[in-house]
Amino acid sequence: MKWGGKGKQEEKGKQEKKDKQEKKERGKKGTLLRLGGYLMHYKWYLAAALLLTVGSNLFALIGPMLSGYAVDAIEPGPGRVIFSRVFYYAAWMAVFYVVSSVFSYLLQVLMITISRKVVYRMRRDVFEKLLSLPVGYFDVHQSGDIISRISYDIDTVNASLSDDVVQLLTTVITVSGAFVMMVLISPRLVLVFAFTMPLSICITRYLTGKTRPLFRERSAKLGELNGFVEEMVSGQKTLRAYCQEDHTIDRFEEKNEKAMKAYYRAEYYGSIVGPMVNFVNNLSLSLISVFGAVLYLFGSMSIGNISSFVLYSRKFSGPINEAANIISDLQSSIAAAERIFRLLDEPEEPVDAPDSMELKQAEGDVELSHVKFGYNSVKTIIHDLSFHVKPGKMIAVVGPTGAGKTTLINLLMRFYDIQDGSICVDGMNVSRITRESLRKSYAMVLQDTWLFQGSIYENLAYGSLGGMKQKMEVERVREAAEAAGIDGFIRRLPQGYDTILTDEGTNISKGQKQLLTIARAMLLPARMLILDEATSNVDTRTEMKIQEAMRKLMEGKTCFIIAHRLSTIQNADIILVVNDGDVVQQGTHEELIRQDGLYRQMYLCLLYTSPSPRDRSLS
């Protein structure tokens, strides 16, 4: 039984290995087919490239034959040369080589044009795909790795298309033409390649099978390194504040070393292919010289024929050698293309149901009924969440860290879909509302501010109807900025509202950035507002101004606030106390203080730990 079980395990292991290998091969073929699909968008360009390739190589293949004729114009013995024949064939050789060179130049220009168009389309497809992916994708993938795919990986494919494809086409035509010419000159001498060609093929197949996973690993490690660098660059202030320079350098060294080793292994084993194939080709040249001399002694070949055959053998084996040298580049581009296509194959945000309706002029009545949700099927974050918010109310959501406050905002905006229960806006289930109209019904300000490179005016008007396409009245923008308490600061800038913000607004303070995002949200014609720690980066005095302005501007609107400051929470019409994914208490500040619950415990804790009442936090 033991031996039988062991045999079955070995057989099972072999079958799994075979299935894995077949899956890899299908993946490689699928990648090449998809790359071919991009190329076929420009089939007429490809047809012209094919004609130029054929013409360039055929004209180049005539040269060795003419060279043999010129050599045969030299008579053996004391040496008599028929110069007229030599000059005649030499002149035609020059003409053919010049035409071949012109065709090669035009071919290179055409292939660069094709690769530029393909890369443009591919980069556009990737970027459009990123905008159609669910928010959850960006929660689990590093920004640096995503940027690496849209930049480094696509550039790698670009280099392969502009150079390697031309080389492969040249190889196929040159090798085929040279082989035909060699057969016409001496079929017996061609038998030399019956030994050397299988040897070259076996070496190439073996080494490429070894190098393909290495290039795939290289792309992955470079993506991880880029992701780490992007994180460290964006977190420089925190890094330096905690004096983690040395530790960060050590982590970088570790990731850099892994990337370097992966790069070295891929390039090292990839570079072996060329020299090995070159050795076999040189071996074939030696055998041709020996057997050609024997055939000459028996009168089966002339000196000119031997000369032509040697030149054709170089044209036959040379491209094969060059093709072996670019195999490493091809493996790298295939690995890069696989990463690109994996991103393109990611499931997009689910489309709206066929019977979905647009939410127009939402009143702001929001109801959650027995909502259950988890970011994965293993762990449930929200177990049984229910509450009802009437239009025009300000709702504060409080609770300990990890209680589900930010998750609640993600569900309201339908960044994630719930697993059970229902969320209704104005009596309509959000699953029957188009995502675009639902999200337009909310204005949202997050703790992590986001500003793009552009003028302050463009950043403020970004989310308005029409956005960048339609100009919004400057007065409306100024009114919103004034209400947010940022108008005075903007006017003091050298260019005022035309001041350009650079690198996510690094030329202004964090509090000013937060005020700009609040003003941007005020310009939206939305009846519901979400503030996720929106005042966390604003000083107490500015916060008081914002609260007063928002009270005036948001009359009749439903406002969800995730806030830790006690001043913000006390002003709310309803306070939802969330713990472990459930609303455990709800009511006004005074009502919750009179209850013996979680809110009262957090409030009493603050009374004894916070020196200033306005700075007390319910986190």
Side-chain angles (χ1 to χ4, degrees), residues 194-493:
F195 165 71
T196 57
M197 281 300 298
L199 186 60
S200 295
I201 293 172
C202 291
I203 292 173
T204 303
R205 284 181 61 86
Y206 174 77
L207 292 176
T208 52
K210 293 289 185 181
T211 56
R212 191 179 305 123
L214 298 177
F215 281 102
R216 194 177 295 115
E217 181 186 7
R218 185 184 77 167
S219 293
K221 293 300 180 183
L222 287 175
E224 292 177 9
L225 180 63
N226 289 337
F228 176 78
V229 172
E230 191 271 339
E231 287 180 354
M232 295 304 104
V233 170
S234 61
Q236 275 294 304
K237 291 183 180 179
T238 304
L239 187 155
R240 294 175 185 272
Y242 285 90
C243 302
Q244 290 296 305
E245 292 91 341
D246 293 338
H247 176 64
T248 302
I249 290 173
D250 291 339
R251 291 181 62 194
F252 175 80
E253 289 290 342
E254 180 183 354
K255 291 183 178 295
N256 190 31
E257 185 177 0
K258 289 181 179 179
M260 180 271 295
K261 287 183 178 178
Y263 193 95
Y264 174 78
R265 285 195 298 268
E267 292 294 332
Y268 174 78
Y269 288 104
S271 63
I272 293 177
V273 180
M276 292 294 291
V277 174
N278 193 38
F279 166 75
V280 176
N281 291 336
N282 289 330
L283 178 62
S284 65
L285 183 61
S286 301
L287 295 175
I288 288 170
S289 301
V290 172
F291 290 112
V294 173
L295 292 174
Y296 174 74
L297 289 176
F298 284 96
S300 299
M301 290 186 70
S302 66
I303 295 293
N305 285 339
I306 294 176
S307 173
S308 297
F309 195 96
V310 169
L311 292 175
Y312 279 123
S313 70
R314 298 304 295 174
K315 285 189 172 293
F316 180 79
S317 59
I320 295 177
N321 185 38
E322 292 174 5
N325 287 328
I326 66 170
I327 281 177
S328 60
D329 294 333
L330 285 173
Q331 297 298 326
S332 178
S333 62
I334 290 173
E338 286 177 352
R339 282 167 47 83
I340 296 168
F341 291 137
R342 277 202 301 270
L343 190 151
L344 291 174
D345 290 337
E346 288 287 339
E348 297 182 359
E349 191 170 50
V351 297
D352 296 321
D355 57 346
S356 296
M357 297 176 290
E358 289 192 4
L359 182 61
K360 297 180 179 179
Q361 297 179 345
E363 295 297 325
D365 185 283
V366 181
E367 182 178 6
L368 278 74
S369 178
H370 303 291
V371 169
K372 177 182 178 182
F373 173 75
Y375 289 103
N376 54 60
S377 58
V378 178
K379 184 177 180 181
T380 301
I381 304 293
I382 295 178
H383 307 90
D384 187 12
L385 180 60
S386 299
F387 65 84
H388 183 205
V389 180
K390 295 182 179 180
K393 297 297 183 179
M394 181 182 291
I395 301 93
V397 184
V398 301
T401 301
K405 301 186 295 295
T406 301
T407 300
L408 173 61
I409 302 305
N410 288 333
L411 297 181
L412 290 174
M413 296 288 290
R414 274 197 81 185
F415 291 145
Y416 294 89
D417 285 323
I418 60 176
Q419 296 167 349
D420 197 10
S422 65
I423 301 176
C424 296
V425 176
D426 295 348
M428 298 172 59
N429 194 312
V430 295
S431 63
R432 299 298 178 185
I433 300 175
T434 61
R435 283 184 174 83
E436 182 178 356
S437 64
L438 175 66
R439 291 169 184 173
K440 281 185 176 181
S441 300
Y442 285 96
M444 186 167 68
V445 180
L446 302 176
Q447 179 181 4
D448 297 326
T449 58
W450 179 78
L451 299 171
F452 59 88
Q453 183 170 346
S455 68
I456 291 178
Y457 167 81
E458 291 171 340
N459 274 275
L460 291 178
Y462 180 73
S464 63
L465 288 177
M468 304 294 291
K469 297 180 181 178
Q470 299 176 1
K471 281 287 185 180
M472 175 180 283
E473 297 85 349
V474 177
E475 287 303 319
R476 284 187 58 198
V477 176
R478 287 179 176 174
E479 287 175 6
E482 186 175 355
I486 195 70
D487 177 67
F489 162 75
I490 297 173
R491 288 177 179 271
R492 289 193 296 271
L493 294 173

Side-chain angles (χ1 to χ4, degrees), residues 13-64:
K14 291 180 180 178
Q15 184 62 38
E16 289 178 352
K17 186 176 180 180
K18 183 180 179 181
D19 293 341
K20 187 176 180 181
Q21 183 65 28
E22 290 178 353
K23 185 178 180 181
K24 286 182 178 179
E25 291 297 328
R26 287 196 302 269
K28 179 184 176 183
K29 292 178 181 177
T31 300
L32 293 174
L33 288 173
R34 294 183 71 172
L35 279 174
Y38 273 94
L39 288 170
M40 289 309 295
H41 283 101
Y42 311 100
K43 53 187 177 183
W44 298 116
Y45 285 91
L46 286 174
L50 182 61
L51 290 175
L52 287 173
T53 305
V54 172
S56 174
N57 287 279
L58 287 181
F59 281 118
L61 284 170
I62 297 174

Side-chain angles (χ1 to χ4, degrees), residues 127-196:
F127 189 77
E128 290 179 354
K129 180 70 177 186
L130 290 176
L131 296 182
S132 66
L133 291 174
V135 174
Y137 178 85
F138 302 95
D139 292 338
V140 297
H141 288 82
Q142 288 182 313
S143 300
D145 182 59
I146 296 173
I147 294 171
S148 178
R149 298 191 192 200
I150 201 172
S151 56
Y152 169 77
D153 288 336
I154 291 183
D155 285 339
T156 301
V157 174
N158 178 33
S160 180
L161 290 177
S162 59
D163 298 327
D164 298 342
V165 171
V166 174
Q167 185 61 54
L168 287 176
L169 288 173
T170 300
T171 297
V172 171
I173 297 171
T174 303
V175 169
S176 301
F179 180 78
V180 171
M181 297 303 293
M182 286 190 297
V183 170
L184 292 176
I185 294 172
S186 177
R188 287 176 293 182
L189 203 54
V190 174
L191 293 176
V192 170
F193 293 101
F195 165 71
T196 57

